[in-house]
Amino acid sequence: VIQVPYSARDEAAPAAMRGPQASAPQDARSSGLPAAIDDAIYGFMASRVLFTCQDTGLFESLSEPDGLTAEAAAALCGLHPGATARLLAASTSLGLTVKLDDGRYAVPSALRTYLSPSGERYLGGWLGHLASVTSRSFGALRDAVRTGEVQLSRVLGAPQDGFFRALYADEDRVTAFASSMWSLGFESSLELARHGSLPARGLLVDAGGGSGSFAIAAALVHPELSVIVVDRPELEPHFTRMAVRHGVTARARFLAADLFEAELPVADAYALGYILSDWSDEAGTRLLERAHGRIKPGGSIHVLERLFDDGGTSPRATALMDLCMLLETHGRHRTAGAYREWLERVGFGGVRVVRSSGDKHMICGSRP
Ligand SMILES: C[S@@+](CC[C@H](N)C(=O)[O-])C[C@H]1O[C@@H](n2cnc3c(N)ncnc32)[C@H](O)[C@@H]1O
């Protein structure tokens, strides 16, 4: 779902919040429908425009400041020129590209870091995962709401049940998922690791740490801290690539093991990033208890999650991603208060919430 700029989204915005864009022609919306309905109707089409511009290489070719004509971009990407011109008109109406005075198109400079493969915050892996997995899951939303059952294996035609077995049956999906986890986590992880609740030295175990967004951020922020990511073997090459890229291989290691079965390392701190939201309350409690049993007395737990506000209906990204959890996993998103109570029930003390400027936040506590 595309976030439309505020001024274009709500004509009833207070004057002080409208800003200069408000006097622009009524560009983003001319359906005459109320904003909530208009956004919801056109949102899925907008998502497809985004995915297609990324997947065809158009964003990459339009990331040079001078931009290209639709014909030149189509030729570069091997696309049909007339259809490409129409796609670029749509992406420009969404603010994903701009049309310059001489008719060339370009990705706006503020978006290049997210949409150009060389950008530091490149979202390509996540967009690929959303296009090939999540958007298919959402096609089964009515079935999920009728039955309460997970839809992923059926939607993907995967032979085995279970989110990760179904997802990892295809190597391209593992790559897109590993890259999504990285781009959804690394920036916030750096911020959260700087907050000061992690041990400055000793060992941090990132249970289900994936491609290592939190473990590697922690190792970068704390030069005397060692980290181990415990995850399924499919993730090891993705973790290793990122550890090499960030120069932390001497202090960062991967342990291919099952979080529910393996003997986990004893450590000064454990992290669980986007793990508890994947599992039922019972399975999550087992994971928290297993971590509690392996954290040294006085050591700490760090749970990283999206959070619902207290009312349980916002922010929008959490509410929509909670439907992903419904469609694809046995988990759910929760409020900060629910995580706090959960950690306390398992025996952690001093539980507190640390918010990042992104949407991955941290609930930490200590083992008495
Ligand atoms: C939603 S991802 C989160 C990855 C990472 N913690 C992050 O925040 O970017 C969940 C991770 O749990 C791992 N995982 C799932 N089941 C597991 C199991 N039984 N044993 C080990 N890892 C598991 C997955 O492979 C995946 O990397």
Side-chain angles (χ1 to χ4, degrees):
V1 176
I2 308 301
Q3 180 89 42
V4 180
Y6 185 70
S7 56
R9 223 177 55 211
D10 190 346
E11 269 103 39
M17 298 179 73
R18 277 189 229 141
Q21 283 158 299
S23 59
Q26 206 183 355
D27 53 351
R29 169 177 312 115
S30 53
S31 67
L33 290 168
I37 296 175
D38 188 289
D39 280 356
I41 287 176
Y42 294 105
F44 90 92
M45 299 182 201
S47 300
R48 278 285 150 200
V49 169
L50 172 70
F51 301 156
T52 305
C53 287
Q54 190 266 331
D55 183 48
T56 53
L58 278 170
F59 281 149
E60 181 173 8
S61 62
L62 298 177
S63 285
E64 293 304 319
D66 289 346
L68 291 172
T69 62
E71 294 71 30
L76 202 63
C77 299
L79 304 172
H80 183 281
T84 301
R86 291 162 75 174
L87 177 65
L88 290 177
S91 67
T92 300
S93 80
L94 293 167
L96 296 168
T97 48
V98 287
K99 190 172 187 183
L100 307 171
D101 287 344
D102 59 3
R104 283 173 294 120
Y105 289 91
V107 173
S109 55
L111 303 194
R112 276 179 218 141
T113 186
Y114 302 99
L115 299 179
S116 161
S118 58
E120 275 186 26
R121 297 172 182 162
Y122 182 52
L123 292 174
W126 192 35
L127 299 183
H129 176 78
L130 290 171
S132 65
V133 177
T134 317
S135 65
R136 287 164 71 187
S137 305
F138 267 78
L141 185 57
R142 193 176 54 163
D143 291 335
V145 172
R146 262 195 304 129
T147 63
E149 283 170 15
V150 179
Q151 302 295 315
L152 186 73
S153 300
R154 193 171 63 77
V155 167
L156 295 182
Q160 289 176 303
D161 203 7
F163 175 71
F164 296 102
R165 278 193 298 259
L167 191 70
Y168 294 173
D170 176 308
E171 215 170 289
D172 288 346
R173 286 205 298 258
V174 184
T175 303
F177 185 67
S179 151
S180 311
M181 288 296 105
W182 182 272
S183 51
L184 287 175
F186 184 59
E187 294 263 327
S188 309
S189 296
L190 280 173
E191 221 180 292
L192 295 168
R194 285 191 194 108
H195 164 260
S197 58
L198 281 170
R201 51 192 65 79
L203 177 65
L204 165 73
V205 170
D206 192 0
S211 39
S213 64
F214 187 69
I216 292 173
L220 287 171
V221 171
H222 300 287
E224 292 176 42
L225 184 67
S226 296
V227 297
I228 298 179
V229 162
V230 182
D231 208 301
R232 295 173 54 109
E234 295 91 332
L235 270 298
E236 182 160 6
H238 302 283
F239 166 79
T240 304
R241 195 174 55 253
M242 299 320 278
V244 169
R245 182 178 301 174
H246 291 276
V248 294
T249 47
R251 292 180 291 117
R253 141 172 121 72
F254 189 92
L255 175 63
D258 189 317
L259 286 181
F260 290 94
E261 306 291 340
E263 179 161 336
L264 299 171
V266 172
D268 301 277
Y270 259 72
L272 291 164
Y274 290 152
I275 301 297
L276 296 178
S277 50
D278 283 339
W279 301 100
S280 66
D281 291 353
E282 297 71 33
T285 299
R286 264 173 55 212
L287 290 177
L288 281 174
E289 287 173 349
R290 299 198 91 221
H292 187 273
R294 306 307 279 169
I295 296 171
K296 294 179 190 167
S300 53
I301 180 98
H302 305 263
V303 169
L304 299 125
E305 289 289 352
R306 290 176 189 276
L307 295 175
F308 265 122
D309 294 343
D310 289 344
T313 59
S314 63
R316 178 171 70 175
T318 301
L320 293 175
M321 292 302 284
D322 186 56
L323 291 179
C324 283
M325 301 295 119
L326 170 74
L327 290 158
E328 300 180 352
T329 75
H330 294 284
R332 61 183 321 127
H333 287 307
R334 299 174 172 85
T335 61
Y339 280 111
R340 179 182 290 123
E341 278 172 30
W342 203 2
L343 291 191
E344 287 171 351
R345 255 197 326 274
V346 170
F348 291 102
V351 179
R352 61 209 184 282
V353 179
V354 182
R355 290 187 184 262
S356 76
S357 57
D359 52 12
K360 192 174 196 178
H361 308 293
M362 179 163 74
I363 305 97
C364 37
S366 53
R367 180 181 169 177

